[in-house]
Amino acid sequence: GLCRGFKNGVLTQNDYLNLVQCETLDDLKLHLQSTDYGNFLANESSLQVSVIDDKLREKLVTEFQHMRNHATGPLACFMDFITYGYMIDNIVLLITGTLHQRPISELVGKCHPLGSFEQMEAIHIASTPAELYNAVLVDTPLAPFFESCINEQDLDE
């Protein structure tokens, strides 16, 4: 039932055709208000593409997490696999950023929310690639996929 409800909220081909014809971001906002997206931009005074992108991503993540929290069995497993790609992207971002001496706090803000995992919050204590390897790759849901193909010494390269 939950899937059907979310499916009914997906934009139709007519919605997309109307969105393509919008000339300003305010037109886009006005059209989206007539769909299931409703007033998700209501509190935004100055519309920018980045604001719309952030709000749409926030809505996607909220709905995905709601579905995942109610999923069981094969659906729960499938939804977990969907998040793994984002987790891998986030880990690559964190490792390359650490190798280039970028502050972890700056990097965590650039990570995709669907790829967030519990250990990311403790990442700020890792200051070297080896510490990052132990904090992230060893203790995440991705560990079984990486343990046979990467080790701490590989991160120095």
Side-chain angles (χ1 to χ4, degrees):
L2 201 59
C3 287
R4 283 189 212 106
F6 282 129
K7 181 183 177 274
N8 290 335
V10 173
L11 297 176
T12 65
Q13 185 171 358
N14 286 337
D15 290 326
Y16 282 109
L17 293 174
N18 290 334
L19 290 173
V20 169
Q21 294 175 2
C22 293
E23 294 182 10
T24 66
L25 293 177
D26 288 323
D27 292 344
L28 183 85
K29 177 181 175 181
L30 187 64
H31 179 71
L32 286 175
Q33 286 176 342
S34 66
T35 67
D36 275 9
Y37 286 89
N39 295 324
F40 82 106
L41 292 172
N43 297 333
E44 301 302 322
S45 56
S46 67
L47 279 183
Q48 296 176 0
V49 174
S50 61
V51 170
I52 294 172
D53 182 50
D54 290 343
K55 291 295 184 177
L56 287 172
R57 181 176 291 116
E58 184 180 309
K59 181 174 173 41
L60 168 77
V61 169
T62 301
E63 290 178 357
F64 182 89
Q65 289 173 338
H66 181 73
M67 280 274 289
R68 174 57 190 95
N69 291 339
H70 289 86
T72 59
L75 178 60
C77 182
F78 175 73
M79 293 184 84
D80 286 342
F81 278 121
I82 290 172
T83 63
Y84 291 167
Y86 294 104
M87 284 183 190
I88 291 168
D89 290 343
N90 288 350
I91 289 172
V92 168
L93 175 71
L94 293 171
I95 291 173
T96 54
T98 301
L99 288 172
H100 294 104
Q101 285 83 38
R102 303 288 302 266
I104 293 291
S105 56
E106 174 187 324
L107 297 171
V108 171
K110 293 180 180 181
C111 290
H112 195 285
L114 278 181
S116 295
F117 48 92
E118 197 174 305
Q119 292 81 357
M120 279 182 64
E121 296 177 14
I123 225 77
H124 66 281
I125 61 171
S127 57
T128 66
E131 289 174 359
L132 190 62
Y133 174 84
N134 288 323
V136 178
L137 289 181
V138 174
D139 295 328
T140 68
L142 299 174
F145 303 109
F146 283 99
E147 65 189 2
S148 63
C149 63
I150 191 171
N151 59 41
E152 284 181 47
Q153 291 77 28
D154 293 336
L155 296 179
D156 291 337
E157 297 171 359

